[in-house]
Amino acid sequence: MILDIVKKALLIPQVETYADDEINTHINSCKHYLLSCGVDPTYINDESNPMVSTVIIIYVKTFYGFKNDGSTKDLPKSFDMLVGQLALTKGS
């Protein structure tokens, strides 16, 4: 399950559920972003694909716990490169 993979990346124990709602929101936001970039939905939901899980982890790590104080937080350049690769290999 992608939630478990992301929680592990964030060093949150699987039994802790206090942040699950926020993490799931970021996971779903990333999936919607990938859809808008032309990545096939079946590919996005393939949790066994390491490229998809890596993109989701980068996205969530960037925005998890981020306070909306008017400042901006940029995704790492590796995110754009991976999204581009996903769109090219599994575009719609």
Side-chain angles (χ1 to χ4, degrees), residues 33-34 37-40 43 49-52 55 77-92:
Y33 178 79
L34 292 174
C37 291
V39 179
D40 187 298
Y43 197 60
N49 185 300
M51 191 178 295
V52 173
V55 168
K77 290 182 181 184
S78 58
F79 178 84
D80 292 327
M81 186 260 320
L82 290 170
V83 168
Q85 187 63 33
L86 280 171
L88 287 173
T89 57
K90 291 291 183 174
S92 54

Side-chain angles (χ1 to χ4, degrees), residues 27-57:
I27 290 169
N28 290 328
S29 293
C30 183
K31 287 181 176 184
H32 282 20
Y33 178 79
L34 292 174
L35 279 171
S36 74
C37 291
V39 179
D40 187 298
T42 57
Y43 197 60
I44 293 168
N45 293 312
D46 179 7
E47 296 183 359
S48 66
N49 185 300
M51 191 178 295
V52 173
S53 60
T54 299
V55 168
I56 292 172
I57 288 168

